[in-house]
Amino acid sequence: MIRFLYADQLDAFPTLRDAMFRDRADQFKRRLGWDVSVDTDGFERDDYDDLNPLYVIWETPDGGHGGSMRFLPSTGRTMVNDHFAHLADTQISSPAIWECTRFCLAADAPPNVSALLMLAGSELMTRFRVTHFVGVFDARMVRIYQRIGASPEVLGSVGDGRDQISVGLWSFTEPALLRLQKRAGVSLEMSRYWAMRAFGDSDKTEWAA
Amino acid sequence: MVRNLESLIDRLWRAQSRDDLQTLSVELRDYYEIAHIVYHWVNSDGEQYGVGTYPMTWVEHYLENDYLRIDPVIQGCYQRFHPVDWKRLDWSSKAARSFMKEAINFGLGNQGFSIPIRGPQGQFALFTLNDTATDMEWVSFTERNLRDLILIAHFFNQKALEFEPNAQPDAARALSPREVDAMTYLALGYSRAQVADTLDISEHTLRAYIESARFKLGAMNTTHAVARATSLGLIVV
């Protein structure tokens, strides 16, 4: 299932939390060779994990980490604005644009997990009137995004070949959402249900009842 | 008196002081025909101030009792960045329940909705709407107006940041070259498709540039943003 968890809520899920930071180390340091720091626990964490970001995590049926991504509002500090503004040609700051980074898949993740994560991301867009995600990704991710039918539009890139790093934007049209659903293997009702569990529905008792 | 939302936003853009924000919070409250609107600023050192329509007696009572510590709205929204209906917060503790009863006795409504805002350097603020309504009415109101309310919340915060000592509003509001291009072609009457085509970007990327420019320009919609960019001389057509 998909979990939407702010950093300060992760401690309630220690196994999932630790697996996510280890899988990030595995993906970004070992497999991709990015210049990221891994601590003595084997966790890949950066400054942006300290800003209480919102993580969208695919929790496997046995409670493990299947994949995840990290969101921050572009009105506060973001990686794109701090380090990649020259690629995007602008400081991207709007309540309607959230930054999505550290898109990570566990090494043994089944092929539908990337689509599941993106579908969950689209729930954030609908619920919170977010029109775009802005993110930083490398050449390998471009292929993954293409495969699930959720290609970002590249605003700017640096480097060549597999070392190319790009800044791009996502937004989902109705047909794109249908493709994502198909790839994810779950219905929109399901992803809506996960978001509802995290952020609520509308038939709870009044706060002052 | 029902005012046009755009003219209120225009005056928000031109606000010069916290007093102006106070006046505008009252008018916005009247525009939306709800009981209260409050903008509440908390910085990383725990300093706070607010403008809004809560009764002064409640504000004083709140500060005297240091309710920042137990207010479930603050507890539940601090460090978050998605809008929250108060029904979703944790009111289960005895302190929270008695806080809630007191609030209502002081004249607050039974429904609340808060939009957390994250600014630069760990700055945090809350834009809150409060009213007496049924659950159905309240959800219908917040859902219908959510996009505008999120924007207005952030416009209040932009102004609050601008009023800080050492603020550099000009840098934050300068349009990037691509944003200038997009706004210029729109001002010339090009359709979005034509602008996207001319700039060799997709319409969806164009929309992101427009969103970004619109926010910098404190505008509710694209027409408004184009007009403001023109009047400020940021684009020349």
Side-chain angles (χ1 to χ4, degrees):
Chain A
M1 64 186 264
I2 289 283
R3 287 195 186 273
F4 298 86
L5 296 169
Y6 281 94
D8 62 6
Q9 297 171 313
L10 282 178
D11 289 347
F13 305 89
T15 314
L16 189 61
R17 174 198 63 200
D18 294 356
M20 174 173 77
F21 289 117
R22 288 208 179 95
D23 281 345
R24 274 174 41 174
D26 186 58
Q27 169 166 327
F28 295 109
K29 184 88 177 181
R30 192 183 67 79
R31 283 185 276 154
L32 296 178
W34 283 19
D35 182 22
V36 293
S37 52
V38 173
D39 66 18
T40 48
D41 293 318
F43 299 158
E44 185 275 306
R45 294 181 51 95
D46 67 11
D47 289 352
Y48 302 95
D49 291 304
D50 296 332
L51 301 177
N52 208 41
L54 175 65
Y55 301 97
V56 174
I57 306 174
W58 173 249
E59 185 179 13
T60 58
D62 59 358
H65 171 257
S68 54
M69 52 191 182
R70 179 179 70 181
F71 289 95
L72 281 168
S74 68
T75 52
R77 260 191 73 195
T78 59
M79 183 189 279
V80 166
N81 284 335
D82 286 352
H83 300 290
F84 298 95
H86 59 290
L87 294 184
D89 178 46
T90 179
Q91 286 279 319
I92 292 170
S93 173
S94 161
I97 304 174
W98 286 10
E99 178 180 77
C100 174
T101 51
R102 291 294 191 263
F103 190 102
C104 169
L105 297 169
D108 58 355
N112 66 327
V113 173
S114 43
L116 277 167
L117 289 172
M118 276 297 170
L119 194 61
S122 77
E123 291 296 331
L124 295 177
M125 287 185 164
T126 311
R127 277 192 165 245
F128 305 129
R129 308 298 191 266
V130 173
T131 59
H132 296 78
F133 295 146
V134 61
V136 183
F137 46 87
D138 70 352
R140 172 183 155 279
M141 287 312 299
V142 172
R143 288 194 300 277
I144 289 181
Y145 294 137
Q146 261 167 7
R147 210 157 53 222
I148 60 174
S151 289
E153 171 135 344
V154 174
L155 297 182
S157 303
V158 63
D160 293 305
R162 59 188 297 259
D163 292 328
Q164 189 170 61
I165 303 272
S166 304
V167 168
L169 286 167
W170 285 266
S171 70
F172 301 113
T173 57
E174 281 298 322
L177 279 179
L178 291 172
R179 281 198 303 274
L180 270 182
Q181 268 186 79
K182 202 174 274 180
R183 293 282 182 182
V186 301
S187 65
L188 272 182
E189 284 70 30
M190 197 68 213
S191 61
R192 208 152 284 159
Y193 169 75
W194 290 323
M196 195 183 75
R197 274 176 28 123
F199 303 109
D201 50 17
S202 41
D203 60 357
K204 291 284 186 296
T205 51
E206 293 177 27
W207 74 281
Chain B
M1 185 176 68
V2 177
R3 280 177 169 276
N4 174 305
L5 185 58
E6 243 177 58
S7 82
L8 280 174
I9 300 306
D10 259 325
R11 286 174 44 224
L12 180 53
W13 166 264
R14 291 196 304 269
Q16 298 289 337
S17 65
R18 289 180 186 178
D19 286 347
D20 289 349
L21 293 184
Q22 173 62 35
T23 309
L24 283 160
S25 69
V26 175
E27 292 188 31
L28 261 179
R29 184 267 313 262
D30 295 345
Y31 170 81
Y32 280 116
E33 298 179 312
I34 56 174
H36 297 295
I37 282 185
V38 172
Y39 168 80
H40 188 174
W41 158 301
V42 187
N43 73 10
S44 45
D45 305 325
E47 275 180 86
Q48 54 171 326
Y49 78 88
V51 298
T53 65
Y54 280 173
M56 260 333 275
T57 47
W58 170 242
V59 175
E60 279 159 15
H61 185 74
Y62 186 106
L63 293 173
E64 264 165 33
N65 289 282
D66 196 16
Y67 278 158
L68 206 53
R69 291 171 300 114
I70 58 156
D71 183 349
V73 179
I74 298 288
Q75 301 302 318
C77 293
Y78 186 62
Q79 301 293 349
R80 300 282 182 271
F81 48 84
H82 70 276
V84 178
D85 191 305
W86 287 8
K87 289 190 291 289
R88 289 295 301 173
L89 300 167
D90 182 7
W91 298 93
S92 61
S93 79
K94 209 173 156 191
R97 284 200 306 276
S98 89
F99 166 80
M100 164 207 302
K101 280 202 192 86
E102 278 185 49
I104 292 202
N105 287 337
F106 272 91
L108 267 69
N110 66 334
Q111 301 283 355
F113 191 83
S114 292
I115 300 167
I117 302 148
R118 252 187 219 195
Q121 277 102 44
Q123 184 260 340
F124 168 78
L126 267 187
F127 187 81
T128 289
L129 302 110
N130 175 273
D131 199 15
T132 302
T134 65
D135 284 1
M136 286 285 279
E137 288 165 346
W138 190 240
V139 167
S140 151
F141 169 78
T142 54
E143 277 296 304
R144 193 169 63 245
N145 294 295
L146 184 54
R147 177 187 160 280
D148 286 355
L149 293 172
I150 291 173
L151 265 176
I152 293 166
H154 284 83
F155 291 160
F156 264 80
N157 202 57
Q158 293 292 89
K159 274 291 160 184
L161 288 168
E162 196 181 306
F163 298 155
E164 282 295 279
N166 313 321
Q168 292 172 306
D170 290 348
R173 285 196 170 142
L175 297 184
S176 76
R178 287 198 210 183
E179 286 162 356
V180 169
D181 288 346
M183 300 314 276
T184 304
Y185 286 117
L186 287 171
L188 287 169
Y190 282 40
S191 71
R192 286 186 182 217
Q194 288 167 326
V195 178
D197 197 41
T198 308
L199 297 178
D200 201 20
I201 54 179
S202 75
E203 274 191 67
H204 103 221
T205 296
L206 174 67
R207 190 159 156 231
Y209 285 127
I210 295 173
E211 283 295 338
S212 169
R214 195 159 65 94
F215 182 54
K216 288 178 185 171
L217 293 165
M220 292 303 285
N221 55 47
T222 309
T223 315
H224 197 193
V226 169
R228 187 158 284 159
T230 311
S231 70
L232 289 171
L234 295 173
I235 59 173
V236 180
V237 291

